[in-house]
Each structure stands twice: as structure tokens, then as C-alpha cells.
Amino acid sequence: MAEAGKTLHLEVITPDAAVLHEDVDFILVRALDGDLGIMPNHAPLIASLSIWPLYYDKDGKRDCVTVAGGFMEVHSNVVTVITPASEKPEDIDIDRAIESEKRAEALLAEHAANLDETRARASLERALRRIDVARKYGKH
Ligand code: ATP
């Protein structure tokens, strides 16, 4: 557990890996019903997350990881995010994300009768967020 009252311990976990385990000062996520800022000593909380970056501040510096939905639990200064996919900016393959964006856009433009629109929109959203995070926070 993080030291009482001073920092938050942030864990971001996917089916494949523990992407992040850091002590941080502030966390900003997008829940399904709006943005949530978490500071130390926040009340216990469970929230469903949107496909949106998770921003965190540490030692006066802001960083972020992508988060592809899932949920977040806040309890006793420990913040646990369980998500189907998450990447640090430097781990994002931007060309792959651009290809994914093009595929999703083409599918949505086709208006095929059997199109799973929710799935295509989620894929597009993941790709756009990855491109954005890699460009703004990646070491390019
Ligand atoms: P794609 O169509 O490129 O596979 P996707 O949105 O369908 O993208 P996901 O199902 O969200 O991919 O993720 C599958 C796995 O691949 C996850 O481990 C995720 O972190 C990783 N991943 C997906 N896209 C990228 C990317 N552009 N760069 C790095 N890792 C990625």
C-alpha cells in the first residue's frame, strides 16, 4: 500500500501484462460518465472507463498510458485499472495504429449490412487514442 496520505499507488493491468506500477501524485481518467481526477485520500470508488488516455502526474511531470476501456478501483490510496489493452507511449507502434484507423474508417464508410458498428467504432477510437498518445508523449 502507498504511504498514507502522500501518494497514490497506480497499477494498470491487462490480460497480457502489468503495464504500470508507479507511485504518483495525481491521476486523470475518463469514466463512462465523465472525467475523474484522483488525488491521495480519495474516497473508495469503482468506475467503468472509456477508451481514453490515463494521465498521471509524478514529481511535477505529466505522463500517460492508453487505456482501452475496462474499470478502475480506488481504495486506500491504491488505484487499480483493469483494461483489455494499455500501452506506454514509447511502446505504441504508430504505423500499426494508423493502419488500424484506416481499416476501421473504411469499414464504417462501407455501411455493410453485417457491419458491427460498435466494434468498428471502438477499434477506431483505440487507434486514434494510440496515435495521439504516441505523437504527444512518445520519444519521436
Ligand atoms: P490492431 O487492429 O492493430 O490489432 P486493436 O485495437 O484491434 O489494433 P487491441 O485488440 O486493442 O488491438 O490490442 C491487442 C494487443 O495489441 C494488445 O496487447 C495491445 O496493447 C496491442 N496493440 C494494439 N495496437 C497496438 C499498437 N499500435 N502499438 C502497440 N501495441 C498495440
Side-chain angles (χ1 to χ4, degrees):
M1 188 182 295
E3 197 180 336
K6 291 205 170 164
T7 57
L8 293 158
H9 184 67
L10 172 61
E11 296 273 347
V12 178
I13 298 160
T14 74
D16 301 322
V19 175
L20 208 61
H21 38 95
E22 297 253 12
D23 288 333
V24 305
D25 304 312
F26 176 71
I27 296 166
L28 182 65
V29 290
R30 182 154 295 180
L32 293 188
D33 51 359
D35 287 355
L36 271 175
I38 310 291
M39 298 209 301
N41 302 323
H42 197 284
L45 171 86
I46 290 183
S48 292
L49 300 179
S50 301
I51 298 169
W52 197 257
L54 175 154
Y55 297 94
Y56 59 97
D57 293 349
K58 182 175 176 152
D59 303 329
K61 189 175 161 280
R62 175 151 291 191
D63 214 330
C64 75
V65 292
T66 59
V67 168
F71 67 89
M72 176 183 74
E73 182 196 42
V74 182
H75 195 277
S76 305
N77 284 333
V78 178
V79 178
T80 310
V81 172
I82 312 267
T83 177
S86 170
E87 302 89 35
K88 291 181 178 172
E90 62 270 26
D91 293 333
I92 293 170
D93 177 340
I94 200 161
D95 293 334
R96 175 176 166 179
I98 289 168
E99 286 308 311
S100 189
E101 178 197 5
K102 283 188 199 153
R103 269 198 311 278
E105 271 170 352
L107 278 172
L108 288 163
E110 264 176 38
H111 295 297
N114 61 349
L115 172 68
D116 184 340
E117 191 173 333
T118 306
R119 192 170 160 191
R121 288 203 182 284
S123 173
L124 178 60
E125 200 56 35
R126 288 193 300 275
L128 290 174
R129 300 288 72 87
R130 285 174 178 134
I131 294 163
D132 212 31
V133 164
R135 287 200 174 133
K136 284 194 190 132
Y137 289 83
K139 296 176 183 88
H140 297 292

